[in-house]
Amino acid sequence: MSTLEIKDLTVSVETEDGPKEILKGVTLTINSGETHAIMGPNGSGKSTLAYSIAGHPKYTITGGTVTLDGEDVLEMSVDERAKAGLFLAMQYPVEVPGVSVANFLRTAKTALTGEAPKLRTWVKDVNGAMDKMHLDPTFSQRSVNEGFSGGEKKRHEIAQLDILDPAFALLDEIDSGLDIDALKVVSDGINDFRARDGKSVLLITHYTRILRYIKPDHVHVFVAGRIAESGGPDLAEELEASGYERFTSAAV
Amino acid sequence: MTAAVQEALELGTVESHLHPEGSFDVDAHEVPKGREEIWRFTPLKRLKGIHDSAPFADGATKVEVEAAAGVSVETVAADDAVRGTSGLVPTDRVSARAWAASTGATVVRIPTDTVIEGATVIRHHGTGSETAGAGHAVIVAEKFAKATVVLVFEGSAVVADNIEIVVEDGADLTVVSVQDWADDAVHLSTQHAKVGRDANLKHVSVSFGGDVVRHDFTAEYAGPGGSVEALGLYFADAGQHIEHRLFVDHTAPKTKSNVVYKGALQGEKAHAVWIGNVLIRKEAEGIETYEENRNLILTDGAWADSVPNLEIETGEIEGAGHASAIGRFDDEQLFYLQSRGIAETEAKRLVVHGFFNDLIRQIGVPELEEKLTSTVEAELAKNINTLITKDNV
Ligand SMILES: Nc1ncnc2c1ncn2[C@@H]1O[C@H](COP(=O)(O)OP(=O)(O)OP(=O)(O)O)[C@@H](O)[C@H]1O
Ligand SMILES: [Mg+2]
């Protein structure tokens, strides 16, 4: 069970001309078992929201709160947030040369559960997760994300989601750079995850096409650093038909 | 031609110090003052006088030999004709002094057409740093021979040595020099290789311990088609000076060189120097060369100098390039690992192991792999709580 509560969150980044405010007061509650989609135009601050929740050092929280079941997330270090149940699938997964996927996953799983995974089932679990994402077993021996294609990186993120099994998944543009087959594979992975008990998903996307495969409970339109409108799945349909214009013109 | 060559050509004339006149006469080499190009990075004051006139004596190190079956290891007199067969002529005073002071030479010979299983290990154990020792070794891989020779240096000592490597036509030789010295050791080593027609040399330098460790590795080719892979791994701690000077002299056509040195530095006044010189002579058409040096600065107070230098006298080459970097932990990498639940210090350990892993694998000596990984681990354990990121610089 977990409820993620974001209240009046304001965030800025350091730029050459001083701090620049990007999130201008975001309020959003995601209950256990819910899937929320955040949709917004380029540069509206979607990744900033995801990274801020996950604790990336680049972003400065200037106001507001983020709590997970009442615990102050903003007080936690990055790894503590992961241990509290948060998982961020990144828009641009990072390459870590010389660190094998197998070693990375094992180290992460050990850190999250506090004990080394049982050898007997572990290899099977990892291979199974890779296989579901159509990544062949040799990926385990490769360096983390190094030389992976854009689509392979995204599928690797979802394989991690499967193996690390967090309570709460933040998926930042998991659909970008995927062809239609890969999009289906990734969506299946996310739906499998959602089918587990009490899992929450925040699906950040620019396009509506992934929503054909993943049905959100709530849709939020994100414009210029805040939520411009919230609604049900029909809001996504409106965006599909008429784009962001109604919202962006209102924001100016 | 690659962009890198274009760029190097456009740099115009570099003042060349790549092919100085050598001499066996000690007095032909002036006592370095510190401003000379080849000495400007080296802390002369800490050399215990071996660059000047400090006496050499026998017995500075105890030598233990574990020869693989089929490899002969013997000691010959200083006037034996095998000395100098690599073409080594001292180009600095320390090398010339070591040459003159050596009372003998260790000769490792791998006979023609033999493929040797397992490594031949020559272990030098320093017995104290009060008196300096001069050493000489000649490693000869005869035609079409294949073998691995590992030189290990440990304990306390002040040593100047010349190591000659002769790789005859078609031979395939790996030479690994591991400097695992105690904290007070001083080691200045001149290692020169002559690589025959279609022969391969893999030269590996691994430096962890010692107060001052300076290794000059030079390679030349005796015929076309030869290949040199020079790999280096170092870990400089507080106060340590680790210097590698490489010079690959492409003296023959169709030859190859690939130089990759990686180092981590930690602690107050840890200093690493890497000078990578490559000369492509007029006659060296169709050659390929690449050199790379990467330094990872783990804590404040450590610094690295990295100077790649490519000098090209012919445009008729297959490829040439270089890369040099001095960096700190990458925030994005650490964030990615931490966002999967891995604590910061653990994430840093992973990144450092990752940084060295490819290189350790390329060394290709299974006997060493585990030892190197665990030594990296032990080095990391010293400072793991004070490791810095770009953030808090
Ligand atoms: N270091 C920086 N300096 C200046 N502006 C920045 C900096 N970092 C981020 N920004 C700006 O913050 C805004 C929000 O960026 P963010 O990546 O969160 O957008 P996004 O909604 O995820 O966009 P996309 O759909 O392209 O992924 C952008 O306008 C971006 O240019
Ligand atoms: Mg984004």
Side-chain angles (χ1 to χ4, degrees):
Chain A
M1 285 296 283
S2 56
T3 301
L4 184 75
E5 257 191 298
I6 303 159
K7 264 201 205 127
D8 302 322
L9 189 68
T10 55
V11 171
S12 67
V13 293
E14 255 342 290
T15 73
E16 277 160 23
D17 320 316
K20 174 182 171 190
E21 187 169 68
I22 298 185
L23 296 191
K24 300 179 175 137
V26 178
T27 297
L28 178 65
T29 299
I30 300 173
N31 292 308
S32 184
E34 291 178 354
T35 296
H36 291 235
I38 284 191
M39 307 196 55
N42 289 137
S44 54
K46 304 182 298 295
S47 292
T48 303
L49 176 63
Y51 276 121
S52 300
I53 297 169
H56 194 290
K58 174 179 152 182
Y59 301 96
T60 312
I61 313 292
T62 52
T65 57
V66 179
T67 58
L68 191 61
D69 296 331
E71 297 279 332
D72 185 354
V73 169
L74 300 177
E75 275 298 304
M76 300 178 193
S77 63
V78 176
D79 58 299
E80 283 167 356
R81 297 179 198 209
K83 285 171 190 135
L86 290 175
F87 175 91
L88 169 63
M90 288 180 209
Q91 186 172 1
Y92 304 107
V94 181
E95 302 188 356
V96 191
V99 176
S100 71
V101 168
N103 188 12
F104 163 63
L105 290 174
R106 166 174 281 278
T107 308
K109 190 71 181 177
T110 305
L112 287 170
T113 60
E115 57 178 359
K118 300 224 168 16
L119 248 175
R120 203 164 44 83
T121 48
W122 174 247
V123 176
K124 222 177 78 203
D125 290 349
V126 170
N127 288 344
M130 300 299 255
D131 191 50
K132 265 198 261 171
M133 284 303 111
H134 296 199
L135 295 168
D136 74 71
T138 58
F139 273 86
S140 292
Q141 297 316 313
R142 290 176 61 178
S143 291
V144 172
N145 295 323
E146 196 179 38
F148 290 19
S149 72
E152 285 164 353
K153 284 180 182 166
K154 294 305 180 71
R155 285 182 274 144
H156 179 222
E157 295 289 280
I158 299 305
Q160 291 173 50
L161 177 69
D162 184 359
I163 294 163
L164 302 179
D165 193 32
F168 196 99
L170 295 159
L171 309 174
D172 189 8
E173 300 217 15
I174 196 69
D175 52 335
S176 67
L178 295 181
D179 60 29
I180 193 70
D181 293 331
L183 182 65
K184 280 186 198 152
V185 168
V186 160
S187 300
D188 285 348
I190 297 167
N191 285 328
D192 281 357
F193 172 76
R194 290 170 70 210
R196 296 178 194 171
D197 219 23
K199 303 293 182 187
S200 312
V201 174
L202 180 61
L203 185 69
I204 294 173
T205 180
H206 183 80
Y207 304 103
T208 49
R209 63 174 191 154
I210 194 170
L211 303 183
R212 274 178 242 150
Y213 305 100
I214 299 172
K215 293 289 165 223
D217 305 301
H218 303 273
V219 175
H220 311 277
V221 183
F222 205 81
V223 179
R226 55 165 68 93
I227 291 172
E229 194 164 315
S230 296
D234 44 322
L235 187 54
E237 275 153 37
E238 186 200 331
L239 287 172
E240 167 108 57
S242 4
Y244 292 114
E245 200 162 324
R246 170 163 80 84
F247 306 98
T248 47
S249 48
V252 178
Chain B
M1 235 187 322
T2 64
V5 175
Q6 213 66 43
E7 182 195 274
L9 288 172
E10 277 161 17
L11 288 176
T13 47
V14 244
E15 202 206 331
S16 175
H17 53 270
L18 296 189
H19 28 87
E21 277 295 295
S23 173
F24 291 101
D25 178 10
V26 172
D27 294 328
H29 305 274
E30 276 181 42
V31 177
K33 298 279 187 296
R35 243 170 273 140
E36 302 79 1
E37 178 56 36
I38 61 165
W39 291 108
R40 67 190 179 104
F41 292 108
T42 315
L44 296 175
K45 284 204 191 81
R46 284 152 63 186
L47 299 187
K48 309 266 169 86
I50 55 175
H51 63 297
D52 191 341
S53 310
F56 288 109
D58 280 341
T61 61
K62 273 210 308 262
V63 180
E64 244 176 77
V65 178
E66 303 157 34
V71 175
S72 89
V73 180
E74 52 168 356
T75 307
V76 301
D79 61 358
D80 196 287
V82 73
R83 287 225 297 172
T85 49
S86 72
L88 191 158
V89 181
T91 55
D92 67 64
R93 186 172 170 92
V94 176
S95 172
R97 291 194 71 229
W99 185 290
S102 292
T103 53
T106 304
V107 180
V108 180
R109 186 173 290 278
I110 302 109
T112 305
D113 278 327
T114 40
V115 173
I116 306 295
E117 294 291 327
T120 294
V121 182
I122 303 178
R123 203 173 287 279
H124 301 77
H125 190 85
T127 51
S129 54
E130 300 77 39
T131 41
H136 198 109
V138 186
I139 302 167
V140 184
E142 295 184 350
K143 284 186 178 137
F144 304 103
K146 183 172 189 233
T148 296
V149 177
V150 180
L151 310 170
V152 179
F153 298 90
E154 55 199 12
S156 289
V158 176
V159 171
D161 58 17
N162 288 295
I163 294 171
E164 301 189 70
I165 300 165
V166 180
V167 194
E168 295 184 357
D169 294 352
D172 186 344
L173 178 67
T174 297
V175 174
V176 186
S177 183
V178 182
Q179 290 67 243
D180 198 6
W181 291 111
D183 287 347
D184 62 343
V186 174
H187 187 196
L188 268 62
S189 188
T190 301
Q191 310 201 350
H192 181 76
K194 182 155 81 182
V195 178
R197 184 182 189 108
D198 299 327
N200 293 313
L201 170 66
K202 188 189 283 187
H203 180 275
V204 185
S205 175
V206 177
S207 300
F208 288 111
D211 179 46
V212 180
V213 173
R214 171 175 158 157
H215 275 217
D216 292 29
F217 171 68
T218 53
E220 60 178 288
Y221 299 83
S227 157
V228 171
E229 192 172 15
L231 307 176
L233 186 164
Y234 49 93
F235 214 122
D237 278 337
Q240 250 189 317
H241 177 91
I242 297 183
E243 179 168 350
H244 294 98
R245 307 182 72 93
L246 292 104
F247 175 36
V248 181
D249 193 352
H250 280 277
T251 43
K254 298 273 180 201
T255 49
K256 281 187 188 160
S257 62
N258 180 42
V259 176
V260 182
Y261 269 63
K262 283 184 168 188
L265 294 87
Q266 61 180 0
E268 212 40 56
K269 296 206 162 65
H271 187 203
V273 177
W274 180 86
I275 312 291
N277 289 321
V278 174
L279 173 62
I280 304 168
R281 298 194 185 232
K282 265 198 197 63
E283 53 272 48
E285 293 192 350
I287 68 102
E288 243 184 284
T289 176
Y290 179 73
E291 48 169 355
E292 175 181 336
N293 173 230
R294 296 193 185 279
N295 293 282
L296 192 55
I297 310 274
L298 304 181
T299 72
D300 284 328
W303 86 105
D305 290 288
S306 178
V307 189
N309 180 29
L310 196 55
E311 206 169 301
I312 303 174
E313 294 179 344
T314 174
E316 302 299 312
I317 60 175
E318 279 296 310
H322 59 70
S324 157
I326 301 167
R328 296 172 185 272
F329 281 112
D330 183 83
D331 280 342
E332 299 302 325
Q333 286 178 358
L334 293 182
F335 175 72
Y336 188 75
L337 296 171
Q338 287 172 263
S339 76
R340 282 8 179 192
I342 300 168
E344 187 179 349
T345 51
E346 182 72 9
K348 287 177 174 172
R349 288 184 46 237
L350 274 180
V351 168
V352 175
H353 278 293
F355 176 72
F356 284 125
N357 261 348
D358 290 351
L359 189 65
I360 291 175
R361 250 177 275 149
Q362 278 175 58
I363 292 172
V365 181
E367 292 94 326
L368 266 178
E369 267 184 37
E370 209 170 305
K371 154 96 178 122
L372 290 182
T373 306
S374 64
T375 309
V376 166
E377 186 58 43
E379 290 288 340
L380 273 175
K382 295 181 191 168
N383 276 284
I384 196 72
N385 292 319
T386 54
L387 301 184
I388 49 167
T389 66
K390 276 184 195 143
D391 247 18
N392 47 29
V393 174

Short mmCIF file of all heavy atoms in Angstrom, two decimals, chain B residues 256-294:
data_model
loop_
_atom_site.label_atom_id
_atom_site.label_comp_id
_atom_site.label_asym_id
_atom_site.label_seq_id
_atom_site.Cartn_x
_atom_site.Cartn_y
_atom_site.Cartn_z
N LYS B 256 51.11 -1.30 -35.90
CA LYS B 256 49.96 -0.82 -35.12
C LYS B 256 50.40 -0.51 -33.70
O LYS B 256 51.25 -1.20 -33.14
CB LYS B 256 48.91 -1.93 -35.02
CG LYS B 256 48.06 -2.08 -36.25
CD LYS B 256 46.95 -3.08 -35.99
CE LYS B 256 46.22 -3.35 -37.29
NZ LYS B 256 45.47 -4.59 -37.25
N SER B 257 49.74 0.47 -33.11
CA SER B 257 49.92 0.67 -31.68
C SER B 257 48.60 1.10 -31.07
O SER B 257 47.83 1.84 -31.67
CB SER B 257 51.01 1.71 -31.39
OG SER B 257 50.66 2.97 -31.92
N ASN B 258 48.36 0.57 -29.89
CA ASN B 258 47.15 0.92 -29.16
C ASN B 258 47.55 1.11 -27.70
O ASN B 258 48.01 0.18 -27.06
CB ASN B 258 46.11 -0.20 -29.30
CG ASN B 258 44.83 0.11 -28.56
OD1 ASN B 258 44.35 1.24 -28.60
ND2 ASN B 258 44.30 -0.87 -27.85
N VAL B 259 47.40 2.32 -27.23
CA VAL B 259 47.84 2.64 -25.87
C VAL B 259 46.63 3.04 -25.05
O VAL B 259 45.91 3.96 -25.43
CB VAL B 259 48.86 3.81 -25.89
CG1 VAL B 259 49.25 4.21 -24.47
CG2 VAL B 259 50.08 3.45 -26.71
N VAL B 260 46.37 2.33 -23.97
CA VAL B 260 45.27 2.72 -23.08
C VAL B 260 45.75 2.70 -21.64
O VAL B 260 46.12 1.64 -21.11
CB VAL B 260 44.05 1.78 -23.23
CG1 VAL B 260 42.92 2.25 -22.32
CG2 VAL B 260 43.57 1.71 -24.67
N TYR B 261 45.78 3.83 -21.01
CA TYR B 261 46.17 3.94 -19.61
C TYR B 261 45.02 4.55 -18.82
O TYR B 261 44.46 5.56 -19.23
CB TYR B 261 47.41 4.83 -19.45
CG TYR B 261 48.70 4.05 -19.52
CD1 TYR B 261 49.07 3.37 -20.67
CD2 TYR B 261 49.55 3.98 -18.41
CE1 TYR B 261 50.25 2.63 -20.73
CE2 TYR B 261 50.73 3.25 -18.45
CZ TYR B 261 51.07 2.58 -19.61
OH TYR B 261 52.24 1.86 -19.65
N LYS B 262 44.70 3.92 -17.70
CA LYS B 262 43.63 4.45 -16.86
C LYS B 262 44.09 4.52 -15.42
O LYS B 262 44.72 3.57 -14.93
CB LYS B 262 42.40 3.55 -16.94
CG LYS B 262 41.61 3.71 -18.20
CD LYS B 262 40.38 2.84 -18.12
CE LYS B 262 39.42 3.19 -19.24
NZ LYS B 262 38.15 2.48 -19.05
N GLY B 263 43.76 5.60 -14.77
CA GLY B 263 44.18 5.72 -13.39
C GLY B 263 43.14 6.38 -12.53
O GLY B 263 42.33 7.18 -12.99
N ALA B 264 43.17 6.03 -11.25
CA ALA B 264 42.33 6.70 -10.27
C ALA B 264 43.27 7.37 -9.27
O ALA B 264 44.34 6.84 -8.98
CB ALA B 264 41.41 5.71 -9.58
N LEU B 265 42.85 8.51 -8.78
CA LEU B 265 43.69 9.25 -7.84
C LEU B 265 42.87 9.63 -6.62
O LEU B 265 41.71 10.04 -6.75
CB LEU B 265 44.22 10.53 -8.49
CG LEU B 265 45.19 10.39 -9.65
CD1 LEU B 265 44.43 10.27 -10.96
CD2 LEU B 265 46.10 11.60 -9.70
N GLN B 266 43.49 9.51 -5.46
CA GLN B 266 42.79 9.88 -4.25
C GLN B 266 43.77 10.36 -3.21
O GLN B 266 44.89 9.88 -3.13
CB GLN B 266 41.99 8.69 -3.72
CG GLN B 266 42.85 7.48 -3.37
CD GLN B 266 42.04 6.30 -2.86
OE1 GLN B 266 40.83 6.38 -2.76
NE2 GLN B 266 42.71 5.22 -2.54
N GLY B 267 43.34 11.32 -2.41
CA GLY B 267 44.15 11.77 -1.30
C GLY B 267 44.96 13.01 -1.63
O GLY B 267 45.24 13.32 -2.78
N GLU B 268 45.34 13.70 -0.56
CA GLU B 268 46.10 14.94 -0.65
C GLU B 268 47.39 14.69 -1.45
O GLU B 268 48.15 13.78 -1.15
CB GLU B 268 46.42 15.36 0.80
CG GLU B 268 46.51 16.83 1.08
CD GLU B 268 45.46 17.70 0.38
OE1 GLU B 268 44.23 17.47 0.53
OE2 GLU B 268 45.91 18.62 -0.31
N LYS B 269 47.64 15.51 -2.45
CA LYS B 269 48.89 15.47 -3.23
C LYS B 269 49.15 14.14 -3.94
O LYS B 269 50.30 13.77 -4.19
CB LYS B 269 50.09 15.85 -2.36
CG LYS B 269 50.02 17.28 -1.83
CD LYS B 269 51.43 17.80 -1.53
CE LYS B 269 51.48 19.30 -1.41
NZ LYS B 269 50.73 19.84 -0.26
N ALA B 270 48.11 13.42 -4.24
CA ALA B 270 48.30 12.27 -5.12
C ALA B 270 48.47 12.85 -6.51
O ALA B 270 47.71 13.72 -6.93
CB ALA B 270 47.09 11.35 -5.08
N HIS B 271 49.49 12.38 -7.23
CA HIS B 271 49.79 12.99 -8.52
C HIS B 271 50.09 11.91 -9.55
O HIS B 271 50.89 11.02 -9.30
CB HIS B 271 51.00 13.93 -8.37
CG HIS B 271 51.28 14.74 -9.61
ND1 HIS B 271 52.51 15.27 -9.89
CD2 HIS B 271 50.48 15.10 -10.64
CE1 HIS B 271 52.46 15.92 -11.05
NE2 HIS B 271 51.24 15.84 -11.52
N ALA B 272 49.44 11.99 -10.67
CA ALA B 272 49.72 11.07 -11.76
C ALA B 272 50.10 11.88 -13.00
O ALA B 272 49.53 12.93 -13.25
CB ALA B 272 48.51 10.19 -12.06
N VAL B 273 51.06 11.35 -13.71
CA VAL B 273 51.50 12.00 -14.94
C VAL B 273 51.48 10.96 -16.05
O VAL B 273 51.94 9.83 -15.85
CB VAL B 273 52.94 12.56 -14.80
CG1 VAL B 273 53.41 13.16 -16.11
CG2 VAL B 273 53.01 13.58 -13.67
N TRP B 274 50.91 11.34 -17.15
CA TRP B 274 50.94 10.44 -18.31
C TRP B 274 51.35 11.25 -19.53
O TRP B 274 50.72 12.25 -19.86
CB TRP B 274 49.56 9.81 -18.53
CG TRP B 274 49.50 8.87 -19.70
CD1 TRP B 274 49.83 7.54 -19.68
CD2 TRP B 274 49.10 9.16 -21.03
NE1 TRP B 274 49.65 7.00 -20.93
CE2 TRP B 274 49.20 7.97 -21.78
CE3 TRP B 274 48.67 10.33 -21.67
CZ2 TRP B 274 48.89 7.91 -23.13
CZ3 TRP B 274 48.35 10.28 -23.02
CH2 TRP B 274 48.46 9.06 -23.73
N ILE B 275 52.43 10.82 -20.14
CA ILE B 275 52.88 11.46 -21.37
C ILE B 275 52.82 10.39 -22.45
O ILE B 275 53.47 9.35 -22.34
CB ILE B 275 54.34 11.97 -21.25
CG1 ILE B 275 54.56 12.76 -19.95
CG2 ILE B 275 54.73 12.78 -22.48
CD1 ILE B 275 53.86 14.08 -19.88
N GLY B 276 52.02 10.60 -23.44
CA GLY B 276 51.90 9.58 -24.49
C GLY B 276 52.39 10.15 -25.81
O GLY B 276 51.72 10.96 -26.44
N ASN B 277 53.57 9.73 -26.19
CA ASN B 277 54.15 10.21 -27.44
C ASN B 277 54.07 9.15 -28.53
O ASN B 277 54.37 7.99 -28.28
CB ASN B 277 55.62 10.59 -27.24
CG ASN B 277 55.77 11.86 -26.41
OD1 ASN B 277 54.99 12.80 -26.57
ND2 ASN B 277 56.74 11.88 -25.52
N VAL B 278 53.65 9.58 -29.68
CA VAL B 278 53.66 8.67 -30.83
C VAL B 278 54.30 9.40 -31.99
O VAL B 278 53.95 10.54 -32.29
CB VAL B 278 52.23 8.22 -31.22
CG1 VAL B 278 52.26 7.38 -32.50
CG2 VAL B 278 51.58 7.43 -30.09
N LEU B 279 55.27 8.75 -32.59
CA LEU B 279 55.90 9.33 -33.77
C LEU B 279 55.64 8.41 -34.96
O LEU B 279 55.86 7.20 -34.90
CB LEU B 279 57.42 9.46 -33.53
CG LEU B 279 58.28 9.89 -34.73
CD1 LEU B 279 57.88 11.27 -35.23
CD2 LEU B 279 59.76 9.86 -34.36
N ILE B 280 55.13 9.00 -36.01
CA ILE B 280 54.91 8.22 -37.23
C ILE B 280 55.91 8.72 -38.27
O ILE B 280 55.80 9.83 -38.77
CB ILE B 280 53.46 8.41 -37.73
CG1 ILE B 280 52.47 8.03 -36.62
CG2 ILE B 280 53.22 7.58 -38.99
CD1 ILE B 280 51.03 8.43 -36.89
N ARG B 281 56.89 7.89 -38.50
CA ARG B 281 57.97 8.32 -39.41
C ARG B 281 57.54 8.25 -40.86
O ARG B 281 56.57 7.58 -41.20
CB ARG B 281 59.20 7.45 -39.19
CG ARG B 281 59.74 7.59 -37.77
CD ARG B 281 61.12 7.01 -37.67
NE ARG B 281 61.55 7.05 -36.27
CZ ARG B 281 62.69 7.58 -35.87
NH1 ARG B 281 63.53 8.13 -36.74
NH2 ARG B 281 63.02 7.57 -34.60
N LYS B 282 58.32 8.90 -41.69
CA LYS B 282 58.02 8.95 -43.13
C LYS B 282 57.79 7.57 -43.72
O LYS B 282 56.88 7.33 -44.50
CB LYS B 282 59.18 9.61 -43.88
CG LYS B 282 58.97 11.08 -44.09
CD LYS B 282 59.89 11.61 -45.18
CE LYS B 282 59.95 13.12 -45.08
NZ LYS B 282 60.56 13.55 -43.77
N GLU B 283 58.66 6.63 -43.31
CA GLU B 283 58.60 5.28 -43.89
C GLU B 283 57.44 4.47 -43.32
O GLU B 283 57.12 3.40 -43.82
CB GLU B 283 59.93 4.55 -43.69
CG GLU B 283 60.45 4.50 -42.26
CD GLU B 283 61.32 5.71 -41.88
OE1 GLU B 283 60.90 6.86 -42.16
OE2 GLU B 283 62.41 5.52 -41.32
N ALA B 284 56.77 4.98 -42.28
CA ALA B 284 55.75 4.19 -41.58
C ALA B 284 54.37 4.33 -42.23
O ALA B 284 53.38 4.67 -41.58
CB ALA B 284 55.70 4.60 -40.11
N GLU B 285 54.30 4.04 -43.51
CA GLU B 285 53.03 4.18 -44.21
C GLU B 285 52.05 3.09 -43.81
O GLU B 285 52.45 1.98 -43.47
CB GLU B 285 53.27 4.17 -45.71
CG GLU B 285 54.04 5.41 -46.16
CD GLU B 285 54.05 5.58 -47.66
OE1 GLU B 285 53.63 4.66 -48.38
OE2 GLU B 285 54.49 6.67 -48.11
N GLY B 286 50.78 3.43 -43.81
CA GLY B 286 49.74 2.44 -43.55
C GLY B 286 49.65 2.00 -42.09
O GLY B 286 49.09 0.96 -41.79
N ILE B 287 50.18 2.79 -41.20
CA ILE B 287 50.13 2.39 -39.79
C ILE B 287 48.79 2.83 -39.17
O ILE B 287 48.03 3.61 -39.73
CB ILE B 287 51.29 2.98 -38.96
CG1 ILE B 287 51.14 4.50 -38.85
CG2 ILE B 287 52.62 2.60 -39.56
CD1 ILE B 287 50.59 4.94 -37.53
N GLU B 288 48.56 2.27 -37.98
CA GLU B 288 47.36 2.62 -37.23
C GLU B 288 47.76 2.86 -35.80
O GLU B 288 48.47 2.04 -35.21
CB GLU B 288 46.42 1.41 -37.24
CG GLU B 288 45.10 1.66 -37.91
CD GLU B 288 44.23 0.42 -37.78
OE1 GLU B 288 44.48 -0.55 -38.51
OE2 GLU B 288 43.32 0.45 -36.94
N THR B 289 47.34 3.95 -35.24
CA THR B 289 47.70 4.20 -33.84
C THR B 289 46.56 4.87 -33.10
O THR B 289 45.79 5.66 -33.66
CB THR B 289 48.97 5.08 -33.72
OG1 THR B 289 49.21 5.36 -32.33
CG2 THR B 289 48.81 6.41 -34.46
N TYR B 290 46.43 4.50 -31.84
CA TYR B 290 45.44 5.15 -30.99
C TYR B 290 46.00 5.19 -29.59
O TYR B 290 46.58 4.21 -29.11
CB TYR B 290 44.11 4.37 -31.01
CG TYR B 290 43.07 5.01 -30.11
CD1 TYR B 290 42.46 6.20 -30.48
CD2 TYR B 290 42.76 4.45 -28.87
CE1 TYR B 290 41.54 6.82 -29.65
CE2 TYR B 290 41.83 5.06 -28.04
CZ TYR B 290 41.23 6.24 -28.44
OH TYR B 290 40.33 6.85 -27.60
N GLU B 291 45.87 6.30 -28.93
CA GLU B 291 46.31 6.35 -27.53
C GLU B 291 45.28 7.10 -26.68
O GLU B 291 44.66 8.04 -27.13
CB GLU B 291 47.70 6.96 -27.38
CG GLU B 291 47.92 8.26 -28.12
CD GLU B 291 49.20 8.96 -27.73
OE1 GLU B 291 49.89 8.50 -26.82
OE2 GLU B 291 49.50 10.00 -28.33
N GLU B 292 45.16 6.59 -25.49
CA GLU B 292 44.10 7.09 -24.61
C GLU B 292 44.58 7.07 -23.18
O GLU B 292 45.21 6.13 -22.72
CB GLU B 292 42.89 6.17 -24.78
CG GLU B 292 41.75 6.47 -23.86
CD GLU B 292 40.57 5.49 -24.05
OE1 GLU B 292 40.44 4.89 -25.14
OE2 GLU B 292 39.81 5.32 -23.10
N ASN B 293 44.26 8.13 -22.46
CA ASN B 293 44.56 8.17 -21.03
C ASN B 293 43.35 8.76 -20.31
O ASN B 293 42.87 9.83 -20.67
CB ASN B 293 45.80 9.03 -20.76
CG ASN B 293 46.06 9.23 -19.26
OD1 ASN B 293 46.25 10.35 -18.79
ND2 ASN B 293 46.04 8.16 -18.51
N ARG B 294 42.86 8.04 -19.31
CA ARG B 294 41.73 8.55 -18.54
C ARG B 294 42.07 8.53 -17.06
O ARG B 294 42.59 7.55 -16.54
CB ARG B 294 40.48 7.71 -18.78
CG ARG B 294 40.04 7.81 -20.22
CD ARG B 294 38.65 7.27 -20.47
NE ARG B 294 38.43 7.32 -21.89
CZ ARG B 294 38.05 8.43 -22.56
NH1 ARG B 294 37.80 9.54 -21.89
NH2 ARG B 294 37.92 8.41 -23.86
#
